mmCIF file with all atom_site columns, all heavy atoms in Angstrom:
data_model
loop_
_atom_site.group_PDB
_atom_site.id
_atom_site.type_symbol
_atom_site.label_atom_id
_atom_site.label_alt_id
_atom_site.label_comp_id
_atom_site.label_asym_id
_atom_site.label_entity_id
_atom_site.label_seq_id
_atom_site.pdbx_PDB_ins_code
_atom_site.Cartn_x
_atom_site.Cartn_y
_atom_site.Cartn_z
_atom_site.occupancy
_atom_site.B_iso_or_equiv
_atom_site.pdbx_formal_charge
_atom_site.auth_seq_id
_atom_site.auth_comp_id
_atom_site.auth_asym_id
_atom_site.auth_atom_id
_atom_site.pdbx_PDB_model_num
ATOM 1   N N   . VAL B 1 221 ? 8.627  -32.595 -0.138 1.00 0.00 ? 221 VAL B N   1
ATOM 2   C CA  . VAL B 1 221 ? 8.711  -33.920 -0.740 1.00 0.00 ? 221 VAL B CA  1
ATOM 3   C C   . VAL B 1 221 ? 9.848  -33.901 -1.744 1.00 0.00 ? 221 VAL B C   1
ATOM 4   O O   . VAL B 1 221 ? 10.054 -32.895 -2.424 1.00 0.00 ? 221 VAL B O   1
ATOM 5   C CB  . VAL B 1 221 ? 7.379  -34.277 -1.438 1.00 0.00 ? 221 VAL B CB  1
ATOM 6   C CG1 . VAL B 1 221 ? 7.436  -35.667 -2.050 1.00 0.00 ? 221 VAL B CG1 1
ATOM 7   C CG2 . VAL B 1 221 ? 6.212  -34.162 -0.456 1.00 0.00 ? 221 VAL B CG2 1
ATOM 8   N N   . GLN B 1 222 ? 10.575 -35.009 -1.824 1.00 0.00 ? 222 GLN B N   1
ATOM 9   C CA  . GLN B 1 222 ? 11.622 -35.102 -2.842 1.00 0.00 ? 222 GLN B CA  1
ATOM 10  C C   . GLN B 1 222 ? 11.678 -36.504 -3.406 1.00 0.00 ? 222 GLN B C   1
ATOM 11  O O   . GLN B 1 222 ? 11.124 -37.440 -2.841 1.00 0.00 ? 222 GLN B O   1
ATOM 12  C CB  . GLN B 1 222 ? 12.981 -34.709 -2.241 1.00 0.00 ? 222 GLN B CB  1
ATOM 13  C CG  . GLN B 1 222 ? 13.197 -33.194 -2.211 1.00 0.00 ? 222 GLN B CG  1
ATOM 14  C CD  . GLN B 1 222 ? 14.351 -32.775 -1.350 1.00 0.00 ? 222 GLN B CD  1
ATOM 15  O OE1 . GLN B 1 222 ? 15.421 -33.334 -1.425 1.00 0.00 ? 222 GLN B OE1 1
ATOM 16  N NE2 . GLN B 1 222 ? 14.120 -31.785 -0.516 1.00 0.00 ? 222 GLN B NE2 1
ATOM 17  N N   . ALA B 1 223 ? 12.358 -36.629 -4.552 1.00 0.00 ? 223 ALA B N   1
ATOM 18  C CA  . ALA B 1 223 ? 12.560 -37.951 -5.138 1.00 0.00 ? 223 ALA B CA  1
ATOM 19  C C   . ALA B 1 223 ? 13.903 -38.491 -4.675 1.00 0.00 ? 223 ALA B C   1
ATOM 20  O O   . ALA B 1 223 ? 14.007 -39.616 -4.198 1.00 0.00 ? 223 ALA B O   1
ATOM 21  C CB  . ALA B 1 223 ? 12.479 -37.891 -6.651 1.00 0.00 ? 223 ALA B CB  1
ATOM 22  N N   . GLY B 1 224 ? 14.927 -37.718 -4.783 1.00 0.00 ? 224 GLY B N   1
ATOM 23  C CA  . GLY B 1 224 ? 16.199 -38.040 -4.145 1.00 0.00 ? 224 GLY B CA  1
ATOM 24  C C   . GLY B 1 224 ? 16.798 -39.383 -4.501 1.00 0.00 ? 224 GLY B C   1
ATOM 25  O O   . GLY B 1 224 ? 17.119 -40.184 -3.632 1.00 0.00 ? 224 GLY B O   1
ATOM 26  N N   . ALA B 1 225 ? 16.995 -39.668 -5.786 1.00 0.00 ? 225 ALA B N   1
ATOM 27  C CA  . ALA B 1 225 ? 17.576 -40.946 -6.180 1.00 0.00 ? 225 ALA B CA  1
ATOM 28  C C   . ALA B 1 225 ? 19.095 -40.884 -6.206 1.00 0.00 ? 225 ALA B C   1
ATOM 29  O O   . ALA B 1 225 ? 19.777 -41.784 -5.731 1.00 0.00 ? 225 ALA B O   1
ATOM 30  C CB  . ALA B 1 225 ? 17.032 -41.357 -7.547 1.00 0.00 ? 225 ALA B CB  1
ATOM 31  N N   . SER B 1 226 ? 19.631 -39.824 -6.748 1.00 0.00 ? 226 SER B N   1
ATOM 32  C CA  . SER B 1 226 ? 21.088 -39.707 -6.906 1.00 0.00 ? 226 SER B CA  1
ATOM 33  C C   . SER B 1 226 ? 21.728 -39.345 -5.569 1.00 0.00 ? 226 SER B C   1
ATOM 34  O O   . SER B 1 226 ? 21.048 -39.072 -4.579 1.00 0.00 ? 226 SER B O   1
ATOM 35  C CB  . SER B 1 226 ? 21.400 -38.624 -7.924 1.00 0.00 ? 226 SER B CB  1
ATOM 36  O OG  . SER B 1 226 ? 20.992 -37.365 -7.415 1.00 0.00 ? 226 SER B OG  1
ATOM 37  N N   . ASP B 1 227 ? 23.049 -39.296 -5.551 1.00 0.00 ? 227 ASP B N   1
ATOM 38  C CA  . ASP B 1 227 ? 23.761 -39.025 -4.310 1.00 0.00 ? 227 ASP B CA  1
ATOM 39  C C   . ASP B 1 227 ? 23.384 -37.663 -3.730 1.00 0.00 ? 227 ASP B C   1
ATOM 40  O O   . ASP B 1 227 ? 23.022 -37.541 -2.554 1.00 0.00 ? 227 ASP B O   1
ATOM 41  C CB  . ASP B 1 227 ? 25.275 -39.099 -4.556 1.00 0.00 ? 227 ASP B CB  1
ATOM 42  C CG  . ASP B 1 227 ? 26.052 -38.972 -3.253 1.00 0.00 ? 227 ASP B CG  1
ATOM 43  O OD1 . ASP B 1 227 ? 25.862 -39.833 -2.378 1.00 0.00 ? 227 ASP B OD1 1
ATOM 44  O OD2 . ASP B 1 227 ? 26.796 -37.998 -3.103 1.00 0.00 ? 227 ASP B OD2 1
ATOM 45  N N   . GLN B 1 228 ? 23.458 -36.621 -4.547 1.00 0.00 ? 228 GLN B N   1
ATOM 46  C CA  . GLN B 1 228 ? 23.115 -35.292 -4.040 1.00 0.00 ? 228 GLN B CA  1
ATOM 47  C C   . GLN B 1 228 ? 21.628 -35.198 -3.706 1.00 0.00 ? 228 GLN B C   1
ATOM 48  O O   . GLN B 1 228 ? 21.234 -34.483 -2.795 1.00 0.00 ? 228 GLN B O   1
ATOM 49  C CB  . GLN B 1 228 ? 23.508 -34.205 -5.038 1.00 0.00 ? 228 GLN B CB  1
ATOM 50  C CG  . GLN B 1 228 ? 25.011 -33.983 -5.087 1.00 0.00 ? 228 GLN B CG  1
ATOM 51  C CD  . GLN B 1 228 ? 25.402 -32.795 -5.966 1.00 0.00 ? 228 GLN B CD  1
ATOM 52  O OE1 . GLN B 1 228 ? 24.764 -31.753 -5.920 1.00 0.00 ? 228 GLN B OE1 1
ATOM 53  N NE2 . GLN B 1 228 ? 26.434 -32.978 -6.764 1.00 0.00 ? 228 GLN B NE2 1
ATOM 54  N N   . GLY B 1 229 ? 20.815 -35.921 -4.469 1.00 0.00 ? 229 GLY B N   1
ATOM 55  C CA  . GLY B 1 229 ? 19.391 -35.945 -4.183 1.00 0.00 ? 229 GLY B CA  1
ATOM 56  C C   . GLY B 1 229 ? 19.113 -36.575 -2.828 1.00 0.00 ? 229 GLY B C   1
ATOM 57  O O   . GLY B 1 229 ? 18.297 -36.082 -2.049 1.00 0.00 ? 229 GLY B O   1
ATOM 58  N N   . ARG B 1 230 ? 19.825 -37.662 -2.523 1.00 0.00 ? 230 ARG B N   1
ATOM 59  C CA  . ARG B 1 230 ? 19.652 -38.314 -1.216 1.00 0.00 ? 230 ARG B CA  1
ATOM 60  C C   . ARG B 1 230 ? 20.086 -37.396 -0.078 1.00 0.00 ? 230 ARG B C   1
ATOM 61  O O   . ARG B 1 230 ? 19.441 -37.336 0.970  1.00 0.00 ? 230 ARG B O   1
ATOM 62  C CB  . ARG B 1 230 ? 20.490 -39.594 -1.163 1.00 0.00 ? 230 ARG B CB  1
ATOM 63  C CG  . ARG B 1 230 ? 19.977 -40.691 -2.068 1.00 0.00 ? 230 ARG B CG  1
ATOM 64  C CD  . ARG B 1 230 ? 20.949 -41.859 -2.110 1.00 0.00 ? 230 ARG B CD  1
ATOM 65  N NE  . ARG B 1 230 ? 20.541 -42.810 -3.150 1.00 0.00 ? 230 ARG B NE  1
ATOM 66  C CZ  . ARG B 1 230 ? 20.672 -44.142 -3.046 1.00 0.00 ? 230 ARG B CZ  1
ATOM 67  N NH1 . ARG B 1 230 ? 21.201 -44.668 -1.971 1.00 0.00 ? 230 ARG B NH1 1
ATOM 68  N NH2 . ARG B 1 230 ? 20.274 -44.920 -4.029 1.00 0.00 ? 230 ARG B NH2 1
ATOM 69  N N   . GLU B 1 231 ? 21.176 -36.690 -0.301 1.00 0.00 ? 231 GLU B N   1
ATOM 70  C CA  . GLU B 1 231 ? 21.687 -35.793 0.738  1.00 0.00 ? 231 GLU B CA  1
ATOM 71  C C   . GLU B 1 231 ? 20.684 -34.663 1.000  1.00 0.00 ? 231 GLU B C   1
ATOM 72  O O   . GLU B 1 231 ? 20.396 -34.315 2.154  1.00 0.00 ? 231 GLU B O   1
ATOM 73  C CB  . GLU B 1 231 ? 23.037 -35.217 0.287  1.00 0.00 ? 231 GLU B CB  1
ATOM 74  C CG  . GLU B 1 231 ? 23.873 -34.675 1.424  1.00 0.00 ? 231 GLU B CG  1
ATOM 75  C CD  . GLU B 1 231 ? 24.334 -35.757 2.411  1.00 0.00 ? 231 GLU B CD  1
ATOM 76  O OE1 . GLU B 1 231 ? 24.456 -36.949 2.033  1.00 0.00 ? 231 GLU B OE1 1
ATOM 77  O OE2 . GLU B 1 231 ? 24.532 -35.400 3.592  1.00 0.00 ? 231 GLU B OE2 1
ATOM 78  N N   . LEU B 1 232 ? 20.156 -34.109 -0.087 1.00 0.00 ? 232 LEU B N   1
ATOM 79  C CA  . LEU B 1 232 ? 19.178 -33.032 0.053  1.00 0.00 ? 232 LEU B CA  1
ATOM 80  C C   . LEU B 1 232 ? 17.939 -33.540 0.792  1.00 0.00 ? 232 LEU B C   1
ATOM 81  O O   . LEU B 1 232 ? 17.384 -32.857 1.656  1.00 0.00 ? 232 LEU B O   1
ATOM 82  C CB  . LEU B 1 232 ? 18.801 -32.506 -1.348 1.00 0.00 ? 232 LEU B CB  1
ATOM 83  C CG  . LEU B 1 232 ? 17.915 -31.270 -1.430 1.00 0.00 ? 232 LEU B CG  1
ATOM 84  C CD1 . LEU B 1 232 ? 18.529 -30.071 -0.722 1.00 0.00 ? 232 LEU B CD1 1
ATOM 85  C CD2 . LEU B 1 232 ? 17.641 -30.911 -2.905 1.00 0.00 ? 232 LEU B CD2 1
ATOM 86  N N   . ALA B 1 233 ? 17.524 -34.760 0.464  1.00 0.00 ? 233 ALA B N   1
ATOM 87  C CA  . ALA B 1 233 ? 16.360 -35.348 1.140  1.00 0.00 ? 233 ALA B CA  1
ATOM 88  C C   . ALA B 1 233 ? 16.642 -35.538 2.624  1.00 0.00 ? 233 ALA B C   1
ATOM 89  O O   . ALA B 1 233 ? 15.825 -35.194 3.483  1.00 0.00 ? 233 ALA B O   1
ATOM 90  C CB  . ALA B 1 233 ? 15.996 -36.679 0.487  1.00 0.00 ? 233 ALA B CB  1
ATOM 91  N N   . ALA B 1 234 ? 17.824 -36.065 2.941  1.00 0.00 ? 234 ALA B N   1
ATOM 92  C CA  . ALA B 1 234 ? 18.169 -36.290 4.350  1.00 0.00 ? 234 ALA B CA  1
ATOM 93  C C   . ALA B 1 234 ? 18.205 -34.977 5.123  1.00 0.00 ? 234 ALA B C   1
ATOM 94  O O   . ALA B 1 234 ? 17.851 -34.906 6.298  1.00 0.00 ? 234 ALA B O   1
ATOM 95  C CB  . ALA B 1 234 ? 19.526 -36.995 4.449  1.00 0.00 ? 234 ALA B CB  1
ATOM 96  N N   . ALA B 1 235 ? 18.620 -33.929 4.450  1.00 0.00 ? 235 ALA B N   1
ATOM 97  C CA  . ALA B 1 235 ? 18.749 -32.628 5.116  1.00 0.00 ? 235 ALA B CA  1
ATOM 98  C C   . ALA B 1 235 ? 17.405 -31.932 5.295  1.00 0.00 ? 235 ALA B C   1
ATOM 99  O O   . ALA B 1 235 ? 17.186 -31.259 6.299  1.00 0.00 ? 235 ALA B O   1
ATOM 100 C CB  . ALA B 1 235 ? 19.696 -31.732 4.327  1.00 0.00 ? 235 ALA B CB  1
ATOM 101 N N   . THR B 1 236 ? 16.504 -32.065 4.304  1.00 0.00 ? 236 THR B N   1
ATOM 102 C CA  . THR B 1 236 ? 15.352 -31.159 4.295  1.00 0.00 ? 236 THR B CA  1
ATOM 103 C C   . THR B 1 236 ? 13.987 -31.808 4.077  1.00 0.00 ? 236 THR B C   1
ATOM 104 O O   . THR B 1 236 ? 12.980 -31.163 4.349  1.00 0.00 ? 236 THR B O   1
ATOM 105 C CB  . THR B 1 236 ? 15.502 -30.109 3.161  1.00 0.00 ? 236 THR B CB  1
ATOM 106 O OG1 . THR B 1 236 ? 15.499 -30.784 1.896  1.00 0.00 ? 236 THR B OG1 1
ATOM 107 C CG2 . THR B 1 236 ? 16.781 -29.306 3.311  1.00 0.00 ? 236 THR B CG2 1
ATOM 108 N N   . ALA B 1 237 ? 13.924 -33.040 3.573  1.00 0.00 ? 237 ALA B N   1
ATOM 109 C CA  . ALA B 1 237 ? 12.623 -33.566 3.146  1.00 0.00 ? 237 ALA B CA  1
ATOM 110 C C   . ALA B 1 237 ? 11.836 -34.154 4.306  1.00 0.00 ? 237 ALA B C   1
ATOM 111 O O   . ALA B 1 237 ? 12.401 -34.666 5.277  1.00 0.00 ? 237 ALA B O   1
ATOM 112 C CB  . ALA B 1 237 ? 12.809 -34.611 2.055  1.00 0.00 ? 237 ALA B CB  1
ATOM 113 N N   . ASP B 1 238 ? 10.520 -34.081 4.198  1.00 0.00 ? 238 ASP B N   1
ATOM 114 C CA  . ASP B 1 238 ? 9.614  -34.787 5.103  1.00 0.00 ? 238 ASP B CA  1
ATOM 115 C C   . ASP B 1 238 ? 9.172  -36.122 4.499  1.00 0.00 ? 238 ASP B C   1
ATOM 116 O O   . ASP B 1 238 ? 8.802  -37.041 5.214  1.00 0.00 ? 238 ASP B O   1
ATOM 117 C CB  . ASP B 1 238 ? 8.375  -33.929 5.372  1.00 0.00 ? 238 ASP B CB  1
ATOM 118 C CG  . ASP B 1 238 ? 8.733  -32.581 5.974  1.00 0.00 ? 238 ASP B CG  1
ATOM 119 O OD1 . ASP B 1 238 ? 9.297  -32.563 7.082  1.00 0.00 ? 238 ASP B OD1 1
ATOM 120 O OD2 . ASP B 1 238 ? 8.474  -31.539 5.325  1.00 0.00 ? 238 ASP B OD2 1
ATOM 121 N N   . VAL B 1 239 ? 9.165  -36.164 3.163  1.00 0.00 ? 239 VAL B N   1
ATOM 122 C CA  . VAL B 1 239 ? 8.723  -37.348 2.429  1.00 0.00 ? 239 VAL B CA  1
ATOM 123 C C   . VAL B 1 239 ? 9.664  -37.560 1.252  1.00 0.00 ? 239 VAL B C   1
ATOM 124 O O   . VAL B 1 239 ? 10.086 -36.585 0.616  1.00 0.00 ? 239 VAL B O   1
ATOM 125 C CB  . VAL B 1 239 ? 7.286  -37.162 1.886  1.00 0.00 ? 239 VAL B CB  1
ATOM 126 C CG1 . VAL B 1 239 ? 6.888  -38.326 0.971  1.00 0.00 ? 239 VAL B CG1 1
ATOM 127 C CG2 . VAL B 1 239 ? 6.280  -37.023 3.033  1.00 0.00 ? 239 VAL B CG2 1
ATOM 128 N N   . VAL B 1 240 ? 10.000 -38.821 0.985  1.00 0.00 ? 240 VAL B N   1
ATOM 129 C CA  . VAL B 1 240 ? 10.713 -39.135 -0.253 1.00 0.00 ? 240 VAL B CA  1
ATOM 130 C C   . VAL B 1 240 ? 9.869  -40.096 -1.074 1.00 0.00 ? 240 VAL B C   1
ATOM 131 O O   . VAL B 1 240 ? 9.398  -41.117 -0.562 1.00 0.00 ? 240 VAL B O   1
ATOM 132 C CB  . VAL B 1 240 ? 12.092 -39.768 0.035  1.00 0.00 ? 240 VAL B CB  1
ATOM 133 C CG1 . VAL B 1 240 ? 12.685 -40.324 -1.243 1.00 0.00 ? 240 VAL B CG1 1
ATOM 134 C CG2 . VAL B 1 240 ? 13.028 -38.738 0.616  1.00 0.00 ? 240 VAL B CG2 1
#
Side-chain angles (χ1 to χ4, degrees):
Chain B
V221 181
Q222 277 166 47
S226 66
D227 186 61
Q228 287 186 42
R230 291 172 189 216
E231 200 66 26
L232 187 58
T236 63
D238 302 298
V239 173
V240 169

